Amino acid sequence: MTDLSTASPTISPALLYDDAKAAIVQLTEAFGFTRTALYESEDGAVLHAELVYGNGMVMVGSRGTGGVFDHAMAGAGPAAVYVVVEDTDAHHRRARENGAEILMPPTDQEYGSRDYMARDVGGNIWSFGTYAPKGPEVTAAG
């Protein structure tokens, strides 16, 4: 049984990019993620990278590496990821200043959130906002 009391996220989206290095630059510079791991092949393709934001993580890799995951994801379309941020307007400003394609400016939602939406270099949709879904209650394994 997995100990859910650890700081590591139990769900981490995994995204493949034609240019994973450009995606990592955009995710760190425009969206404020921190790169914590990067593994490259001999030819420089990103085999696996981990980027964190708060207590969440996204895993990133290059398309065309020939691995099982790469084959399974062949032809897969863009994904959508939601990230909770403290200050939507400041986060939006950073993204815009770093050239992110903004699809929706910061907008107050009927359910109480303030969010904005952007598209990354791989066509994935990123929503950033103040809505913090309540997950399951986590207790220490014992």
Side-chain angles (χ1 to χ4, degrees), residues 63-142:
R63 289 191 189 280
T65 59
V68 174
F69 187 69
D70 182 46
H71 287 297
M73 293 292 290
V81 180
Y82 183 84
V83 180
V84 178
V85 297
E86 287 186 30
D87 184 337
T88 302
D89 295 279
H91 196 276
H92 169 260
R93 236 179 342 273
R94 175 183 179 153
R96 190 184 66 237
E97 288 169 0
N98 282 281
E101 179 186 356
I102 305 300
L103 302 176
M104 181 184 80
T107 304
D108 292 327
Q109 304 297 333
E110 291 180 14
Y111 49 88
S113 183
R114 181 164 177 80
D115 15 84
Y116 80 95
M117 192 180 310
R119 184 186 330 268
D120 72 15
V121 297
N124 299 298
I125 306 302
W126 292 83
S127 294
F128 299 91
T130 57
Y131 178 72
K134 298 295 181 209
E137 193 169 318
V138 178
T139 59

Side-chain angles (χ1 to χ4, degrees), residues 37-72:
L38 175 65
Y39 303 94
E40 297 176 298
S41 64
E42 289 182 14
D43 66 356
V46 176
L47 297 173
H48 178 82
E50 296 172 2
L51 299 120
V52 298
Y53 191 96
N55 65 353
M57 177 192 313
V58 63
M59 297 182 291
V60 172
S62 297
R63 289 191 189 280
T65 59
V68 174
F69 187 69
D70 182 46
H71 287 297

